[in-house]
Amino acid sequence: MADFGVSAGQIVAVIWDKSSPAEALKDLVDKLQALTGDEGRVSVENINQLLQSAHKESSFDIVLSGIIPGSITLHSAEILAEMARILRPGGCLFLKELVETAVVNNSKVKTASKLCSALTLSGLVEVKELQRKPLSPEEIQSVREHLGYHSDSLLSVQITGKKPNFEVGSSSQLKLSTAKKSSGKPAVDPAAAKLWTLSANDMEDESVHLWPCRRTGKREVEGPDKLPAQVGLWKLLPGRCFPLCQLPLPRDASLQTWGEGTPE
C-alpha cells in the first residue's frame, strides 16, 4: 500500500462508500494510524454523509477517497468541493475513480480529463494523474451491482491535487509605503531657470537674436578650439544692439556652433 506521504502527527480523512469492502477499509485505517502515530488522527467518513458532517474548514492534512481496494467511487462536484474545504492550506487529496476512455453521451462516469477539470474547479492546484489501470473482473462486477453501469471502456485512475497555501476567500492587508519617493532629478536653481526662460513675446520678437558674446570688441573664446565661452541674448534697436543676458556655453565642442553676422 502506498503511504500517500502520510507522516507522524498528521490528521487524515478516509472517505468510503457502500462498495468499500469492510476488511480492506479496516486494514487501510490500521496502516494509516501506524503512520500518524499517537499525535495524529485518522477519521473515517461515509461519502454520503460527508456534506452533513461537522468537519471544520481546514481540518485535515490529507484526504483519501475511493482509495480502499475494491471501492467503486464516483465523486460529484459538491463532494469534491467539500473535500477541498476540509483540507488545510497545502494539504493533499488522493482519490481513485472510474473513468471512461470512450466518448459516451450523458454518461454518469467522467473521462479522466473531465475529472481533472472538476478537481481544479473545486479549488485544488497541481492536479495530476498518478496511475491508471484496467478493472479487475471483481471490480467490473461491483460496477454493475452498485452503479448499474455497463461499459467495456472503463479504467480506474488515481489522481492527486493540492490545496493552495491560502484559504479561498481569505484576505490580507497590503502594506503600502506612503513615504514620498524622490524623483531622482536635481533641484533647479530658480535664478538659472529664469535666466534660460524666454517668454512667448521674446520668441515671436524678430529683433531678438542669439550671438556669441563680445567684450572690448573681440570674441571671447575659451579652450583649444577657440570657440566662444558664452552666448548673449541681444535685442536689436534702431542704431544699436542692446544685450539682454549672457549664457555660458556647454564644454562639448560639437554643441558649439556659430556663424558670421554677429553684432559689433
Side-chain angles (χ1 to χ4, degrees), residues 101-205:
T101 57
V103 177
V104 180
N105 293 330
N106 302 318
S107 172
K108 66 170 70 175
V109 180
K110 308 177 189 71
T111 61
S113 61
K114 287 186 177 180
L115 179 56
C116 289
S117 297
L119 283 166
T120 301
L121 290 173
S122 72
L124 300 183
V125 297
E126 299 180 25
V127 176
K128 58 184 177 181
E129 184 179 322
L130 298 177
Q131 183 185 54
R132 64 168 57 196
K133 62 180 182 178
L135 301 183
S136 66
E138 293 77 13
E139 289 174 325
I140 294 175
Q141 182 64 30
S142 181
V143 170
R144 293 174 179 174
E145 290 179 2
H146 296 287
L147 300 179
Y149 189 80
H150 302 269
S151 175
D152 296 327
S153 54
L154 292 177
L155 288 177
S156 174
V157 298
Q158 185 173 312
I159 296 178
T160 184
K162 182 179 179 181
K163 188 169 183 177
N165 291 319
F166 56 83
E167 282 292 358
V168 175
S170 61
S171 62
S172 178
Q173 184 177 2
L174 295 177
K175 296 181 180 180
L176 301 177
S177 174
T178 57
K180 187 176 181 181
K181 295 183 178 180
S182 172
S183 64
K185 297 180 180 179
V188 179
D189 183 356
K194 184 177 179 180
L195 185 66
W196 280 94
T197 301
L198 295 176
S199 70
N201 292 333
D202 290 331
M203 297 302 293
E204 295 177 357
D205 191 345

Side-chain angles (χ1 to χ4, degrees), residues 237-255:
L237 298 176
R240 61 174 297 193
C241 290
F242 182 76
L244 299 178
C245 63
Q246 292 182 350
L247 309 173
L249 279 174
R251 298 284 179 174
D252 189 345
S254 66
L255 300 177

Side-chain angles (χ1 to χ4, degrees), residues 6-262:
V6 177
S7 59
Q10 288 188 319
I11 302 176
V12 181
V14 177
I15 313 299
W16 63 279
D17 68 352
K18 61 182 180 180
S19 68
S20 304
E23 287 299 320
L25 173 60
K26 182 179 182 303
D27 183 57
L28 174 62
V29 171
D30 289 344
K31 290 177 179 179
L32 291 173
Q33 287 176 335
L35 292 172
T36 57
D38 295 335
E39 296 180 358
R41 188 176 80 250
V42 178
S43 296
V44 180
E45 188 71 61
N46 183 280
I47 195 169
N48 295 321
Q49 302 299 320
L50 183 61
L51 296 177
Q52 288 76 41
S53 67
H55 297 301
K56 295 182 179 179
E57 222 171 61
S58 304
S59 299
F60 298 96
D61 298 294
I62 295 175
V63 174
L64 307 176
S65 183
I67 297 298
I68 301 163
S71 290
I72 304 298
T73 307
L74 298 179
H75 300 85
S76 67
E78 292 79 12
I79 291 296
L80 293 177
E82 178 64 12
M83 291 191 292
R85 185 188 72 84
I86 63 177
L87 267 176
R88 289 178 176 172
C92 290
L93 167 68
F94 294 89
L95 65 80
K96 187 179 71 172
E97 183 167 333
L98 295 175
V99 297
E100 272 282 7
T101 57
V103 177
V104 180
N105 293 330
N106 302 318
S107 172
K108 66 170 70 175
V109 180
K110 308 177 189 71
T111 61
S113 61
K114 287 186 177 180
L115 179 56
C116 289
S117 297
L119 283 166
T120 301
L121 290 173
S122 72
L124 300 183
V125 297
E126 299 180 25
V127 176
K128 58 184 177 181
E129 184 179 322
L130 298 177
Q131 183 185 54
R132 64 168 57 196
K133 62 180 182 178
L135 301 183
S136 66
E138 293 77 13
E139 289 174 325
I140 294 175
Q141 182 64 30
S142 181
V143 170
R144 293 174 179 174
E145 290 179 2
H146 296 287
L147 300 179
Y149 189 80
H150 302 269
S151 175
D152 296 327
S153 54
L154 292 177
L155 288 177
S156 174
V157 298
Q158 185 173 312
I159 296 178
T160 184
K162 182 179 179 181
K163 188 169 183 177
N165 291 319
F166 56 83
E167 282 292 358
V168 175
S170 61
S171 62
S172 178
Q173 184 177 2
L174 295 177
K175 296 181 180 180
L176 301 177
S177 174
T178 57
K180 187 176 181 181
K181 295 183 178 180
S182 172
S183 64
K185 297 180 180 179
V188 179
D189 183 356
K194 184 177 179 180
L195 185 66
W196 280 94
T197 301
L198 295 176
S199 70
N201 292 333
D202 290 331
M203 297 302 293
E204 295 177 357
D205 191 345
E206 295 181 355
S207 65
V208 176
H209 298 270
L210 194 66
W211 280 304
C213 288
R214 290 173 177 267
R215 288 184 182 172
T216 63
K218 297 181 180 179
R219 286 191 177 92
E220 180 185 355
V221 296
E222 176 178 326
D225 294 326
K226 302 301 182 182
L227 295 173
Q230 291 183 326
V231 292
L233 193 61
W234 299 74
K235 186 174 181 65
L236 298 179
L237 298 176
R240 61 174 297 193
C241 290
F242 182 76
L244 299 178
C245 63
Q246 292 182 350
L247 309 173
L249 279 174
R251 298 284 179 174
D252 189 345
S254 66
L255 300 177
Q256 298 175 341
T257 59
W258 52 281
E260 298 300 326
T262 55

